[in-house]
């Protein structure tokens, strides 16, 4: 895992450095200048605050001038002139609350210049420890951060203000870190089939869901589990929908389940689900399940009775109450679903994603995967993993069902809940990158990409 440092962890690394602060500042400023040299021609305005971040900016300005670049140095406030690029060395990692009014005005002036901005360590106005943006913030085209990436550069909304992130080695070594960025290499930890494998040992998955009009969701989850190298997949679906699955899902075993007059599963379906799960290594519950009192009660009963690792997605998250179970459990909400679990709004979740996913993990005693381009994976009393491979093309119906199937397959292979969720998010995100063109992607397009991702294709650095 790749360290993601909070502001406090960064300061601890600086305190542990065996050398003068000026030495670090010189390396940092030169690293920023190097990015400006390589990527941003023309006149440069360097806006410096009063702290260490401003010191880095002043070194950058000096190095650029020595190399013959036209540089305007602005000490905290002043006119920008007409630069071709701006270096933001105003606030750095120390921000906790909204910037002061005069600083906010300078930030708006930087953004209003409508030229590329290179941020020093973090864009001014972004909380380095959480990614939250409490007030005005710089919108950077690139960010040069030092020693290790800051957590706030990987977590939205700060992620969306950071541009391309360059991690410059300046001699700092993290003294410790709680959170981490998940690299593509996590897929090497996914158990592969061996000569001794049987279809059950390779990973047996049961997908429970489906209702009239929503049969595509469990189909996608089942196919994704197969593409994630599961050896055996069963779908438990309302009896009346069975003909759809018989014709559209060739490889999976079908188990008809009791339903009501409208085709929705009932609480008494629990007996058949538990029986069907007898040889399953993991259960995916929720895709296309529907939202009725009966399906809600069925979810509650299965949480109590199933002993296998469990992935809850989509309709299984509706009106879900806190629970405790001995087996691994993964919840996979998007912001709106997580808001429902926490009794808040999607806007609030989007504004404080890190805090929200950690709160949910503690409340439900489960691994919680919050979907997004910065997919967050939290487990109780542990640091958060960030899987930052998601592409905008994933914002289409059914992609969450694909993710559910992949995670279920990895759980069935014996991975822990947190690692299965993280590996699933990486495989899912890489699959979206492997689909060309990105425009018009539909969920089923991801299925061949999952195989390619597991085979090692598309393993680009996650923060690009």
């Amino acid at each position: 895992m790749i360290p993601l440092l909070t502001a406090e962890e960064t300061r601890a690394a600086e305190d542990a450095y065996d050398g003068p602060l000026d030495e670090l500042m010189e390396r940092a400023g030169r690293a920023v200048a190097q990015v400006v040299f390589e990527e941003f021609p023309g006149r440069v305005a360097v806006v410096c605050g009063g702290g260490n971040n401003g010191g880095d900016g002043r070194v950058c300005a000096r190095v650029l001038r020595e190399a013959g670049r036209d540089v305007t140095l602005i000490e905290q406030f002043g006119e920008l002139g007409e630069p071709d690029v701006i270096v933001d060395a105003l606030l750095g990692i120390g921000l906790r609350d909204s910037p002061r009014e005069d600083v906010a005005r300078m930030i708006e002036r930087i953004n209003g210049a409508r030229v590329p901005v290179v941020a020093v360590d973090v864009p001014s106005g972004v909380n380095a420890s959480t990614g939250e943006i409490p007030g005005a913030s710089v919108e950077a085209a690139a960010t040069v951060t030092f020693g290790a990436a800051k957590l706030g550069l990987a977590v939205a909304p700060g992620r969306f203000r950071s541009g391309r992130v360059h991690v410059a080695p300046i001699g700092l070594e993290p003294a410790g870190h709680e959170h981490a960025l998940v690299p593509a290499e996590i897929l090497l930890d996914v158990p592969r089939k061996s000569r001794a494998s049987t279809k059950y040992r390779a990973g047996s998955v049961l997908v429970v869901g489906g209702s009239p009009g929503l049969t595509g969701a469990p189909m996608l989850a089942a196919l994704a589990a197969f593409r994630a190298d599961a050896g055996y997949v069963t779908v438990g679906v309302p009896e009346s929908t069975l003909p759809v699955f018989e014709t559209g899902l060739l490889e999976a075993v079908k188990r008809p389940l009791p339903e009501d007059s409208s085709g929705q599963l009932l609480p008494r379906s629990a007996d058949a689900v538990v029986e069907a799960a007898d040889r399953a290594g993991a259960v995916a519950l929720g895709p296309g399940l529907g939202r009725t009192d009966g399906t809600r009660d069925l979810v509650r009963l299965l949480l109590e009775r199933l002993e296998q690792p469990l992935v809850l997605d989509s309709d299984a998250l509706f009106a879900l109450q806190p629970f405790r179970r001995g087996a691994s459990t993964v919840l996979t909400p998007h912001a709106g679903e997580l808001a429902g679990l926490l009794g808040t709004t999607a806007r609030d979740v989007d504004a404080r994603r890190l805090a929200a996913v950690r709160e949910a993990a503690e409340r439900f005693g489960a691994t919680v995967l919050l979907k997004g381009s910065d997919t967050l994976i939290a487990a109780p009393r542990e640091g958060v993993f960030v899987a930052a491979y998601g592409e905008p093309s994933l914002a289409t119906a059914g992609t969450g069902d694909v993710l559910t199937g992949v995670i279920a397959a990895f759980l069935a292979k014996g991975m822990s809940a947190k690692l299965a969720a993280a590996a699933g998010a990486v495989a899912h995100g890489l699959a979206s990158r492997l689909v060309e063109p990105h425009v018009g992607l539909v969920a089923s397009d991801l299925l061949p990409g999952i195989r390619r991702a597991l085979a090692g294709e598309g393993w680009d650095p996650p923060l690009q």
Side-chain angles (χ1 to χ4, degrees):
M1 299 295 172
I2 302 168
L4 289 172
L5 302 188
T6 64
E8 291 74 17
E9 290 164 347
T10 301
R11 293 190 185 98
E14 291 172 349
D15 291 342
Y17 178 71
D18 186 19
L21 179 62
D22 288 350
E23 193 172 70
L24 289 177
M25 201 171 289
E26 182 70 20
R27 294 173 187 160
R30 286 185 174 276
V32 177
Q34 186 63 36
V35 170
V36 175
F37 278 136
E38 293 176 354
E39 300 187 18
F40 302 98
R43 299 179 300 275
V44 185
V46 182
V47 183
C48 297
N52 292 343
N53 197 249
D56 298 338
R58 283 184 283 275
V59 171
C60 172
R62 190 198 78 226
V63 172
L64 289 171
R65 278 176 175 160
E66 289 172 352
R69 292 289 285 270
D70 183 348
V71 178
T72 300
L73 180 63
I74 299 141
E75 296 287 352
Q76 206 156 21
F77 310 111
E79 294 301 321
L80 293 169
E82 296 184 354
D84 298 298
V85 59
I86 298 170
V87 174
D88 162 34
L90 193 55
L91 293 179
I93 67 172
L95 177 86
R96 291 181 179 273
D97 303 311
S98 299
R100 297 191 322 259
E101 185 176 346
D102 53 353
V103 176
R105 285 197 300 270
M106 192 64 202
I107 289 174
E108 295 303 331
R109 194 174 298 165
I110 291 170
N111 290 336
R114 301 192 180 282
V115 299
V117 178
V118 179
V120 177
D121 224 1
V122 294
S124 293
V126 172
N127 187 309
S129 299
T130 66
E132 294 175 17
I133 300 177
S137 68
V138 164
E139 187 164 351
T143 298
V144 185
T145 194
F146 312 120
K150 309 305 176 285
L151 182 60
L153 301 177
V155 177
R159 171 179 169 82
F160 301 138
R161 296 300 181 101
S162 303
R164 298 182 304 280
V165 176
H166 303 259
V167 180
I170 63 171
L172 283 179
E173 293 294 333
H177 64 95
E178 185 179 8
H179 311 288
L181 190 67
V182 184
E185 285 76 11
I186 192 175
L187 298 182
L188 296 174
D189 293 332
V190 177
R192 300 298 203 269
K193 292 172 182 171
S194 70
R195 292 185 177 181
S197 294
T198 66
K199 58 188 176 183
Y200 293 107
R201 290 176 184 169
S204 175
V205 173
L206 171 63
V207 179
V208 180
S211 57
L214 298 173
T215 53
M219 282 191 185
L220 285 167
L223 289 169
F226 272 127
R227 293 304 189 187
D229 209 31
Y232 194 88
V233 179
T234 303
V235 292
V237 297
E239 186 172 6
S240 64
T241 67
L242 202 59
V244 177
F245 288 91
E246 290 285 17
T247 56
L249 190 60
L250 300 181
E251 296 88 352
V253 175
K254 294 84 178 175
R255 292 293 297 265
L257 301 175
E259 61 186 89
D260 64 18
S261 59
S262 63
Q264 304 289 328
L265 294 180
L266 296 163
R268 63 186 176 88
S269 304
D271 290 340
V273 172
V274 172
E275 180 184 350
D278 182 56
R279 298 190 71 175
V283 177
L285 176 59
L289 184 65
R291 297 184 178 184
T292 67
D293 290 343
T295 57
R296 182 185 61 200
D297 291 342
L298 173 61
V299 171
R300 178 182 56 79
L301 286 171
L302 292 177
L303 282 168
E304 294 172 355
R305 296 181 58 185
L306 286 173
E307 297 178 353
Q308 293 84 357
L310 186 59
V311 187
L312 278 76
D313 183 34
S314 186
D315 293 337
L317 300 173
F318 175 65
L320 187 67
Q321 297 297 312
F323 58 85
R324 289 292 184 271
R325 61 192 306 265
S328 297
T329 309
V330 180
L331 312 183
T332 61
H334 56 56
E337 291 165 338
L338 186 58
L341 295 176
L342 297 178
T344 184
T345 65
R347 178 176 292 183
D348 183 60
V349 169
D350 284 336
R352 47 185 292 275
R353 287 174 62 82
L354 187 70
V357 73
R358 300 191 81 175
E359 180 184 347
E362 295 297 336
R363 179 176 296 188
F364 288 90
T367 295
V368 179
L369 180 151
L370 176 56
K371 298 171 186 173
S373 65
D374 61 330
T375 294
L376 306 182
I377 302 101
R381 298 171 299 282
E382 295 181 12
V384 171
F385 287 163
V386 182
Y389 283 97
E391 294 290 326
S393 56
L394 286 172
T396 189
T399 56
D401 303 308
V402 172
L403 176 61
T404 295
V406 175
I407 295 172
F410 292 169
L411 285 171
K413 290 174 175 291
M415 297 185 78
S416 69
K418 192 174 181 183
L419 286 179
V426 169
H428 188 247
L430 288 174
S432 72
R433 293 186 175 190
L434 291 167
V435 175
E436 293 289 349
H438 296 315
V439 175
L441 176 145
V442 296
S444 57
D445 292 337
L446 297 173
L447 297 173
I450 292 167
R451 295 176 63 194
R452 294 172 61 189
L454 286 171
E457 293 186 46
W459 286 17
D460 297 323
L463 270 182
Q464 287 188 341

